[in-house]
Amino acid sequence: MIDFKTEIANAIANELTEIPKDDIYGMIEVPQDSKLGDYAFPCFRLAKIMRKAPPLIAQDIAGKLAGNALFEEVRQVNAYVNFFMNKKAVIGETIAAALDKDGFGRSDEGSGKTIVIDFSSPNIAKPFHIGHIRSTVIGNSIYKLYDALGYSVVRTNHLGDYGTQFGKMICAYRHWGNDADIERDPIRTLLSYYTRFHEEAKMDPSLDEEARKTFYDLEHGGEDEVRLWKWFSELSMREFNRVYDLLGIEFDAYDGESMYTGMMQRHIDDLVSKGLLVESEGANVVMLDEFNMPPAIITKSDGSSVYCTRDIATAVYRKETYDFYKNLYVVASQQSLYFKQLWKVLEKMGYEWAKDCVHIPFGMVSLEGGQTLSTRKGNVVFLEDVLNEAIDKTREIIKEKNPDASQEMIDETAKVVGVGAVVFNELSNSKIKDYEFRWDQVLNFDGETGPYVQYTHARCASVLRKAGGGVVAAASKAIAGGDSDAVDYSYLTGGSAYELVKLIYAFPGIVKEAAEKYEPSIVTRHIVDIAQSYNKFYHDEHILTSDEKEQTAKVALTIAARNTIATGLGLLGVKAPERM
Ligand code: ARG
């Protein structure tokens, strides 16, 4: 697809040899008010170099570019040159590009580079609660964005399957455990033991001591401890996998913390030999004073490892295994300081690639009424329950809207729309913001929601069904062949059609921006805009008119809108239903 901004930069560079083309490109703006054109070039900064008043420079450039066929008009307004693109060129380029459903928005800029992304990473024997949805859903979308840009992306699930909490869990089980209860409802039951452990330990501190000893035994291969730990892990994975299946999310590796325990000694030795490990209050730490950070604890007084020790081993393993270009961690903002410390420790160890490690933080979710999510208090909403509730609620709405639909269609659609609604809602907010989970916002079919965008996709699909396969095939062929006789884009230069075209044109840039900023909500917002714009076009215009040429052009735009919405939803990890 022609990049009009680059074309403008080229055209200006031909006239203004005083300034490098890249600088010119960087100066081009998109005016707030589209009446001022599609792009604008401000000339203020040129006054000094060219010893001329900015409006005169603008006038000069405008005059020289007036004849260029790419532009409908090039106009000087004060110190600006305003560019109005040739609408038919924009429409033709955009619709042809969006016809390629699988290719639109994709590029190969990342080819040959590997990105490792650590996301979801729930903790064994703890619930996969609604707070985890953030890491899971944001991480999956960032994976899809980079995959679309041609990177080879390794999705890794850093399961929390190791640490002192397993000492507590095993103790709690030994005191109060009942196997039948656990088999029936594993995580909820284990969680209730864990909660009880914390309550009883408040009154009886010897429990904490017992838990510490149990973890020590686990770390040193105690037979019964290892057996229980494995059992808890298996039961937990079974539950996590049910959620991943519902969400349609996969991983390339489930390398949990336990995998790295065997690799830690090498790094502890390395820290010692480099003189980085010092004793402080009984623990072994790396001092980070020079960065104004608290020390990073590497081993506790009894020699046992901590989260950070395992993360050092993890990062080195990822570099050695994947030779990553970037190593991403999608983890809650509570761990921001922790990751800053981790990068500094790696840097002090001499790993220059520490600069390629990125923490992608996100804010917290609260529930309606301001309840918080805390595992310890046992006050937890399970993600699986939320997804199932979304599916149930959606089933009712779909039934109401489609009284004649078959049960099978209703069930299938309820799943796609219900799960999609939760995921879309999650990705609607800028990721760093805390937000409140509210059902009326998640499932609103008319708001800026997943169901609304999916509904618009189904509407496009329905328009194309009504147009008929023959018409759609003919339009596709005409677009692909650039046959301006068969598909006349002058029907699309009017208000709402052209606004829609411009949004579709912007889509590949949006994908790039969202990836660069690790911010899927940029895509979410853009496809809401496209959906709203398509609906306006749908209401303003007769798409299936008796005028064959006009109909072909409008069908072409509908194909482009449908493809862009489907691709955009796909990048969020949301399905695009044909009917709703
Ligand atoms: N399991 C951790 C938690 O729930 C997240 C792990 C993130 N990944 C990492 N390599 N530290 O807080």
Side-chain angles (χ1 to χ4, degrees), residues 145-444:
L145 288 166
Y146 278 96
D147 180 65
L149 297 180
Y151 292 85
S152 124
V153 189
V154 181
R155 295 161 291 181
T156 181
N157 195 327
H158 191 74
L159 293 167
D161 59 358
Y162 221 74
T164 47
Q165 71 271 24
F166 287 94
K168 294 177 186 170
M169 196 73 71
I170 293 170
C171 281
Y173 168 79
R174 283 175 175 159
H175 284 281
W176 313 295
N178 173 310
D179 288 11
D181 289 346
I182 296 178
E183 290 287 353
R184 193 174 337 104
D185 191 356
I187 293 193
R188 239 177 267 265
T189 308
L190 289 171
L191 182 67
S192 75
Y193 300 159
Y194 190 65
T195 310
R196 181 161 172 194
F197 181 91
H198 279 275
E199 269 156 23
E200 306 230 354
K202 268 189 230 145
M203 280 143 358
D204 177 5
S206 76
L207 276 173
D208 279 325
E209 192 42 46
E210 186 187 325
R212 251 192 299 280
K213 162 113 191 12
T214 310
F215 176 60
Y216 182 89
D217 291 342
L218 175 64
E219 213 170 19
H220 293 80
E223 205 177 305
D224 194 52
E225 287 77 13
V226 171
R227 174 187 70 83
L228 288 172
W229 166 77
K230 278 200 178 139
W231 184 43
F232 296 161
S233 297
E234 276 161 25
L235 292 170
S236 302
M237 275 320 297
R238 220 186 285 160
E239 296 214 8
F240 297 158
N241 283 331
R242 274 210 309 273
V243 175
Y244 293 139
D245 282 349
L246 266 178
L247 291 170
I249 289 180
E250 289 170 34
F251 292 89
D252 302 299
Y254 289 87
D255 295 338
E257 291 183 43
S258 65
M259 188 185 107
Y260 301 102
T261 54
M263 308 176 190
M264 286 181 314
Q265 197 53 47
R266 167 187 153 199
H267 304 295
I268 296 173
D269 294 346
D270 190 29
L271 283 166
V272 171
S273 76
K274 289 183 171 140
L276 292 170
L277 208 59
V278 297
E279 221 194 296
S280 165
E281 294 169 33
N284 289 306
V285 306
V286 174
M287 299 305 286
L288 299 170
D289 292 353
E290 67 268 46
F291 308 110
N292 275 324
M293 291 181 205
I297 300 180
I298 305 295
T299 52
K300 293 203 237 176
S301 51
D302 60 5
S304 60
S305 67
V306 294
Y307 186 52
C308 180
T309 333
R310 296 185 282 276
D311 257 330
I312 293 171
T314 303
V316 176
Y317 171 84
R318 287 181 190 162
K319 185 67 196 179
E320 289 174 353
T321 309
Y322 304 113
D323 192 22
F324 56 70
Y325 163 73
K326 288 256 186 275
N327 180 25
L328 312 178
Y329 298 73
V330 186
V331 185
S333 58
Q334 278 107 324
Q335 295 188 31
S336 289
L337 172 62
Y338 166 75
F339 280 109
K340 285 198 186 101
Q341 292 176 293
L342 178 61
W343 312 152
K344 288 300 174 195
V345 172
L346 291 168
E347 201 180 296
K348 284 183 113 172
M349 292 172 84
Y351 293 120
E352 58 83 28
W353 47 260
K355 65 177 184 352
D356 304 323
C357 298
V358 184
H359 175 215
I360 302 174
F362 53 82
M364 286 321 286
V365 193
S366 59
L367 301 174
E368 266 165 281
Q371 243 182 322
T372 51
L373 297 156
S374 152
T375 314
R376 228 171 252 184
K377 292 200 207 93
N379 168 14
V380 167
V381 175
F382 284 63
L383 175 53
E384 189 177 7
D385 295 345
V386 173
L387 293 174
N388 284 326
E389 193 170 340
I391 294 171
D392 290 343
K393 285 183 196 256
T394 310
R395 190 180 290 117
E396 293 312 309
I397 302 173
I398 304 267
K399 245 193 238 165
E400 220 171 88
K401 287 189 187 265
N402 306 276
D404 308 326
S406 70
Q407 192 59 39
E408 199 190 335
M409 180 271 180
I410 291 175
D411 284 341
E412 184 49 35
T413 311
K415 195 173 151 194
V416 167
V417 177
V419 172
V422 174
V423 172
F424 195 95
N425 176 65
E426 174 54 43
L427 297 174
S428 297
N429 305 286
S430 147
K431 66 186 184 313
I432 198 69
K433 277 206 206 131
D434 294 349
Y435 84 97
E436 192 183 75
F437 184 91
R438 292 180 38 187
W439 279 115
D440 59 339
Q441 269 173 15
V442 176
L443 290 180
N444 186 348

Side-chain angles (χ1 to χ4, degrees), residues 27 29 40-47 52-62 75-83:
M27 285 162 72
E29 300 171 358
F41 181 68
C43 299
F44 304 102
R45 277 172 48 198
L46 306 178
K52 222 159 132 185
L56 289 179
I57 304 173
Q59 195 179 34
D60 205 31
I61 299 175
R75 192 195 292 161
Q76 172 245 334
V77 178
N78 301 324
Y80 288 88
V81 189
N82 292 346
F83 294 87

